[in-house]
Amino acid sequence: MESTSIEKTARFGTLAVHAGQKPDAATGAIMTPIFQTSTYVQEAPGVHKGHEYARVSNPTRTALEGNLATLEGAAQGIAFASGVGATDAIVKSLRPGDHIVSSNDLYGGTYRLFRQVYEPFGIASSFVDMTDLAAVEQALRPETKLMWIETPTNPLIRVVDIRRLSDLAHAHGIDVAVDNTFATPYLQQPLALGADLVVHSTTKYLGGHSDVIGGAVCTSHADWVEKLRFQIKSTGAVPGPMDCFLTLRGTKTLHLRMERHCANARRLADFLDAHPKVGSVYYPGLPGDPGHELARAQMRDFGGMISFTLTDDDMDKALAVLSGTRVFSLAESLGGVESLIGHPATMTHASIPREERLAAGLSDTLIRLSVGIEDIEDLIEDLDQALAGV
Ligand code: P1T
């Protein structure tokens, strides 16, 4: 099937399988080959088949970029060596004196990049509660150039209103980037809600199998495409062809996996919500969750990430749960087929100062789950026995 002929009309699952790809012209291989090459032979100077040097482009990467762009409804996708590399390329496109407004509940590595890498270069950031529109508006400055949204947030699974914040940002001439890692384009399409850039750690749900690190930015703005292509060419955070192949294999089943992640997470959130040893459950699929109505409007389903606390705010008990599971593995990362349990305070969010973490509601005892696609009964039984042990 010619990918160009389906991209205008097909639905998400068909696009996930086919977009950006066509059988290899030389061999007919249905899977895009891993073009493990650093350079491409030219017939004469400047006469080539579209690729000159593999830092700039590679056919396996081009296929992945086409696939991701189509899934996000973007004109272009630019693949990076990691999610952090993708974020970095956007921030590097700003200038000293520029300001970023972002969330006080976001991936710790994004916080570290903004605070520890770019503040010394004169790009300042503010971290505010993005579920509070007035707080975001108050944080805007004349020099604010970028609004950085994560939704659902990492790790408190809060839901941020992409459309309203995009309207606010655009009224002030500010571009909006949405880190769509937790939702994936299957559940939420930020560009259709008004965002300018959508960012992914493809390491997570898009790759889907915990076997590759990668990132991407998708956008329909020609000026951003130019800036990002310039960044990747000039600073070199490129993904290798094998990594692109693995990610492309992952996106083919994204829709199927997400349905199971979401169904399992809904059941598990209900189980935790009813458990006497569990205090707060952070999951927008729960009708009482503050993000529930917005998630229903903005997302197709509620995602596979849940955070929770115990009734007793006791570190030893939290640690016992974290070490007491048998199906859930204690590890950083998320979005793979297997279930993971994590401790944001010491793992993914350790680079955020404790006072800032606590002020944002991220307690020392918060437990985060990446709910996999295993049988739900096994996941419930696993958490049940881990909770029984405390
Ligand atoms: O790890 P990398 O591919 O560089 O992606 C960074 C990143 C960006 N955005 C979000 C929302 C993320 O969650 C991450 C990485 N997060 C984890 C490793 C984690 O366990 O939360």
Side-chain angles (χ1 to χ4, degrees):
M1 191 186 296
E2 276 287 329
S3 58
T4 44
S5 64
I6 60 155
E7 275 157 17
K8 288 190 184 68
T9 55
R11 293 157 187 83
F12 193 96
T14 308
L15 294 173
V17 174
H18 295 285
Q21 301 149 85
K22 48 183 187 282
D24 178 48
T27 62
I30 192 160
M31 287 300 130
T32 304
I34 302 163
F35 285 93
Q36 194 72 49
T37 189
S38 61
T39 193
Y40 310 87
V41 176
Q42 306 194 7
E43 272 175 47
V47 182
H48 53 74
K49 296 179 165 61
H51 301 278
E52 292 169 84
Y53 185 62
R55 174 159 32 77
V56 179
S57 67
N58 174 290
T60 319
R61 197 192 330 157
T62 303
L64 172 64
E65 291 177 337
N67 184 261
L68 296 177
T70 301
L71 296 185
E72 284 291 2
Q76 290 252 2
I78 299 110
F80 289 86
S82 68
V84 164
T87 307
D88 177 69
I90 294 173
V91 181
K92 270 200 302 240
S93 304
L94 303 180
R95 288 290 167 265
D98 289 350
H99 171 252
I100 303 169
V101 65
S102 185
S103 173
N104 63 359
D105 179 22
L106 88 170
Y107 172 52
T110 306
Y111 175 93
R112 182 176 56 211
L113 183 73
F114 289 0
R115 259 279 196 270
Q116 289 175 244
V117 178
Y118 282 104
E119 275 196 7
F121 283 104
I123 298 173
S125 296
S126 301
F127 301 91
V128 298
D129 176 359
M130 286 200 144
T131 64
D132 179 351
L133 206 74
V136 178
E137 191 161 12
Q138 258 184 1
L140 300 182
R141 302 179 190 170
E143 61 272 24
T144 306
K145 291 285 159 54
L146 182 68
M147 183 179 284
W148 187 272
I149 297 174
E150 212 182 80
T151 183
T153 60
N154 182 1
L156 289 169
I157 330 292
R158 292 191 178 121
V159 187
V160 175
D161 194 327
I162 297 172
R163 191 180 290 287
R164 289 186 70 189
L165 283 184
S166 297
D167 288 348
L168 173 70
H170 293 154
H172 291 82
I174 298 166
D175 284 343
V176 178
V178 175
D179 185 332
N180 204 26
T181 298
F182 271 33
T184 83
Y186 182 63
L187 300 183
Q188 167 178 287
Q189 293 181 314
L191 301 185
L193 295 165
D196 303 292
L197 301 156
V198 54
V199 184
H200 280 283
S201 167
T202 58
T203 312
K204 311 296 170 5
Y205 290 105
L206 296 179
H209 297 77
S210 305
D211 53 9
V212 62
I213 294 278
V217 183
C218 299
T219 181
S220 294
H221 291 306
D223 58 335
W224 270 110
V225 171
E226 197 184 317
K227 283 184 212 176
L228 294 167
R229 294 250 174 245
F230 173 79
Q231 286 295 349
I232 202 158
K233 177 170 75 177
S234 307
T235 67
V238 295
M242 178 73 186
D243 291 358
C244 293
F245 173 87
L246 286 171
T247 308
L248 203 46
R249 188 172 64 169
T251 60
K252 287 178 190 296
T253 56
L254 177 67
H255 50 303
L256 300 179
R257 288 184 286 106
M258 288 315 291
E259 281 176 10
R260 183 64 168 257
H261 284 296
C262 293
N264 279 356
R266 278 188 262 114
R267 289 274 304 276
L268 210 56
D270 285 340
F271 162 78
L272 290 169
D273 201 36
H275 199 288
K277 289 187 183 170
V278 171
S280 302
V281 180
Y282 301 87
Y283 185 64
L286 291 170
D289 187 271
H292 183 66
E293 288 309 320
L294 178 56
R296 281 171 63 98
Q298 183 168 280
M299 300 171 70
R300 190 199 292 252
D301 205 331
F302 304 104
M305 297 299 294
I306 303 174
S307 290
F308 69 99
T309 55
L310 301 180
T311 327
D312 288 347
D313 186 27
D314 178 304
M315 191 55 137
D316 288 340
K317 289 185 178 170
L319 292 176
V321 173
L322 285 156
S323 318
T325 53
R326 297 168 188 156
V327 181
F328 280 84
S329 299
L330 178 62
E332 302 206 14
S333 204
L334 59 113
V337 289
E338 65 290 305
S339 291
L340 301 180
I341 188 165
H343 184 222
T346 59
M347 296 165 80
T348 47
H349 293 71
S351 45
I352 303 179
R354 183 163 184 270
E355 319 75 66
E356 284 189 47
R357 265 197 287 112
L358 295 179
L362 199 180
S363 71
D364 288 338
T365 50
L366 187 81
I367 296 170
R368 192 189 77 177
L369 302 175
S370 172
V371 182
I373 65 167
E374 300 95 335
D375 287 298
I376 184 60
E377 293 78 9
D378 292 322
L379 299 181
I380 290 175
E381 282 169 24
D382 189 33
L383 284 184
D384 203 24
Q385 66 79 28
L387 287 163
V390 302

